[in-house]
Amino acid sequence: GCAPALPCAREARGVSLYCGVCKKLVPGLDHHCMWLNTCVGRRTYTYFYLLSLFGAAAGGLQTVSAIFVVAKTNVREAAVDELGGPLFFTLVGLVAA
């Protein structure tokens, strides 16, 4: 994912570090993120954490949605087995129309 600050990074002006990818000094440099194509430092921590939080929330929502879809599909398949395939799909087609 994200590359750590380069080992050759030099400290300058207190807590700023040099990013070899961006070729600039970044206050509070943590790492250069290849996904965002920017340095994550003091000024961008908030945006980086928000992106991570919303990304995790979106992944969780997709997981929950997939579980519901699979569960609903299993219920439909059980109904098809009980009612018989052609009759079930005919009834579903009439209800959906």
Side-chain angles (χ1 to χ4, degrees), residues 2-94:
C2 299
L6 298 175
C8 62
R10 60 182 166 82
E11 193 157 343
R13 287 188 261 158
V15 294
S16 294
L17 290 175
Y18 181 77
C19 177
V21 178
C22 293
K23 309 239 185 302
K24 63 180 180 180
L25 288 173
V26 179
L29 176 67
D30 184 25
H31 64 278
H32 183 89
C33 183
M34 64 184 232
W35 305 110
L36 300 174
N37 194 29
T38 190
C39 293
V40 176
R42 187 180 318 135
R43 286 186 244 163
T44 56
Y45 273 136
T46 304
Y47 303 113
F48 181 73
Y49 288 134
L50 285 174
L51 177 70
S52 300
L53 176 71
F54 287 124
L61 182 62
Q62 289 174 345
T63 301
V64 170
S65 298
I67 290 170
F68 280 118
V69 167
V70 168
K72 195 172 184 180
T73 303
N74 288 339
V75 169
R76 284 185 187 160
E77 288 174 358
V80 168
D81 292 340
E82 291 174 13
L83 293 175
L87 175 61
F88 176 75
F89 286 113
T90 303
L91 292 174
V92 169
L94 291 174

